[in-house]
Amino acid sequence: MKSIHDIRRENLRTIIQKDFDGRQIRMAEALGFQANLISRWMASPDMASAKNIGGSSARKIEAAARRPAFWLDTDHGMAIAAEAEPLDANTEIGIIAAQNLTSWMQANKELKSQAAVAEKAEVGQSTVNRLLNREASISINNLAAIAAVFNRRAYELLIPPHDETVIQYDRSRYAALPAEEKAKIKSFIDFVMSENTK
């Protein structure tokens, strides 16, 4: 039977892989801990440098990775293995995200390459590559970081191009408007819609 320390160590590996692009240094920065502490947590228990993950550290890791409390203490077994598998590259959501990122890159001369997007988003180039190749095994944190490079939000990567249920507008310019101007836009939209439902 696995000990709590073995379970936490396995779950930490999953979190680093999925949420921190496999980079221990990124997790250390998110936690505000020394990078060598993460290495000691990851070390095999029979190594002299190995260190167990304590309860308070486990809760901090969960918070940094946006996991529920005590997630690190639960043996997720086969569920984690299944989660780690990329979804079928031809899933609709994977195709939409890849198309959107491709068009955003083509429209931005400073962010035309995977390397440029990865560097600015502070994710690995392999993460950008997986998204462009329609592999949906990307974390929400990484999706948000990539979208932010283009002054967008993660959900915008998942909206089909030319979706008739979505109004196309410059979201960053809208966000900069004063509240009363935003209210005018909302009021105008409500007016047009009410006129067309009669």
Side-chain angles (χ1 to χ4, degrees), residues 175-195:
L177 291 174
E180 58 273 5
E181 296 299 318
K182 290 178 184 173
K184 286 178 189 175
I185 292 169
K186 182 184 180 314
S187 182
F188 180 72
I189 291 169
D190 289 343
F191 169 75
V192 171
M193 291 177 74
S194 69
E195 286 294 304

Side-chain angles (χ1 to χ4, degrees), residues 7-84:
I7 292 168
R8 285 177 178 167
R9 190 175 296 107
E10 285 177 11
N11 289 338
L12 178 64
R13 283 190 184 96
T14 299
I15 285 174
I16 290 171
Q17 190 61 40
K18 293 188 77 178
D19 298 326
F20 297 95
D21 206 32
R23 296 164 63 191
Q24 293 180 24
I25 189 75
R26 287 191 64 209
M27 169 165 257
E29 289 167 357
L31 291 168
F33 291 168
Q34 294 292 323
N36 71 344
L37 178 58
I38 310 296
S39 294
R40 291 177 67 198
W41 284 339
M42 298 285 289
S44 175
D46 56 349
M47 293 180 65
S49 63
K51 181 171 176 59
N52 289 328
I53 303 168
S56 64
S57 294
R59 304 299 77 84
K60 288 177 183 174
I61 292 166
E62 290 158 351
R66 298 182 181 149
R67 295 292 199 287
F70 303 101
W71 186 92
L72 212 67
D73 298 354
T74 305
D75 186 359
H76 302 281
M78 293 306 290
I80 287 178
E83 259 180 50

Side-chain angles (χ1 to χ4, degrees), residues 9-188:
R9 190 175 296 107
E10 285 177 11
N11 289 338
L12 178 64
R13 283 190 184 96
T14 299
I15 285 174
I16 290 171
Q17 190 61 40
K18 293 188 77 178
D19 298 326
F20 297 95
D21 206 32
R23 296 164 63 191
Q24 293 180 24
I25 189 75
R26 287 191 64 209
M27 169 165 257
E29 289 167 357
L31 291 168
F33 291 168
Q34 294 292 323
N36 71 344
L37 178 58
I38 310 296
S39 294
R40 291 177 67 198
W41 284 339
M42 298 285 289
S44 175
D46 56 349
M47 293 180 65
S49 63
K51 181 171 176 59
N52 289 328
I53 303 168
S56 64
S57 294
R59 304 299 77 84
K60 288 177 183 174
I61 292 166
E62 290 158 351
R66 298 182 181 149
R67 295 292 199 287
F70 303 101
W71 186 92
L72 212 67
D73 298 354
T74 305
D75 186 359
H76 302 281
M78 293 306 290
I80 287 178
E83 259 180 50
E85 288 297 315
L87 297 177
D88 181 359
N90 293 318
T91 60
E92 182 182 8
I93 201 75
I95 292 168
I96 291 167
Q99 288 173 342
N100 285 334
L101 181 55
T102 299
S103 68
W104 294 0
M105 289 170 68
Q106 289 171 348
N108 189 314
K109 64 181 179 182
E110 287 146 22
L111 297 168
K112 284 193 181 293
S113 73
Q114 292 179 23
V117 172
E119 183 179 347
K120 194 158 182 189
E122 296 181 358
V123 301
Q125 187 172 337
S126 62
T127 299
V128 177
N129 184 270
R130 282 197 310 267
L131 182 54
L132 288 170
N133 286 314
R134 302 186 300 269
E135 296 173 5
S137 60
I138 181 170
S139 73
I140 292 172
N141 290 344
N142 287 339
L143 199 67
I146 291 168
V149 165
F150 297 91
N151 294 316
R152 294 176 179 258
R153 304 240 173 127
Y155 73 86
E156 294 180 72
L157 273 168
L158 309 178
I159 298 172
H162 316 298
D163 185 338
E164 293 186 7
T165 66
V166 178
I167 299 172
Q168 299 298 321
Y169 63 96
D170 185 330
R171 285 166 174 77
S172 55
R173 286 180 57 200
Y174 174 81
L177 291 174
E180 58 273 5
E181 296 299 318
K182 290 178 184 173
K184 286 178 189 175
I185 292 169
K186 182 184 180 314
S187 182
F188 180 72

